Amino acid sequence: PHRNSDEALCRSILTDYEQLLKRWKHDYVPTSADAPIDDRYVEACQMLPAVTDMIDTLFQADAELRARVVHQVVQDGTIPRLKARLDKLREEVPDGSESPCAAA
């Protein structure tokens, strides 16, 4: 049961993060060649492919590979770090009307 709950947690956090990255990639795209590049856009461009790959693995791979990916991202601190970051971003929304993790 523990493994399944870890896997569900990983899926949930990674899909929330993926939605946030997709929104950032759309919302913070530079408007011109000399416009400053927002850190959120850079993060989205850098992280989206890896996050999407992990999500694909967690939804499509066999149980052994899923378990290895879950173990790795929980043990190396990726999932706890992302969860804390997403929680912090949610708290920063002033009136709570729109979660930063809501789909665009």
Side-chain angles (χ1 to χ4, degrees):
H2 181 64
R3 183 180 299 176
N4 288 343
S5 63
D6 280 350
E7 188 173 317
L9 176 68
C10 288
R11 285 181 181 183
S12 171
I13 289 172
L14 288 169
T15 51
D16 281 356
Y17 186 50
E18 182 187 44
Q19 291 304 313
L20 178 64
L21 292 174
K22 286 179 176 177
R23 202 173 91 228
W24 282 356
K25 190 170 182 178
H26 176 268
D27 291 353
Y28 297 105
V29 65
T31 52
S32 66
D34 57 351
I37 298 175
D38 191 285
D39 288 343
R40 291 165 287 198
Y41 179 76
V42 173
E43 180 177 344
C45 291
Q46 290 176 338
M47 295 303 297
L48 256 175
V51 170
T52 301
D53 283 351
M54 281 190 276
I55 291 169
D56 289 348
T57 299
L58 290 177
F59 280 96
Q60 298 171 4
D62 62 66
E64 184 181 331
L65 180 55
R66 289 196 321 263
R68 278 193 310 222
V69 168
V70 167
H71 180 77
Q72 178 187 337
V73 297
V74 170
Q75 293 302 311
D76 72 7
T78 298
I79 292 301
R81 255 192 331 273
L82 277 179
K83 182 180 185 323
R85 178 134 185 255
L86 290 169
D87 289 347
K88 185 174 188 300
L89 287 167
R90 286 184 184 107
E91 289 171 12
E92 289 172 1
V93 176
D95 61 3
S97 63
E98 183 188 347
S99 165
C101 300

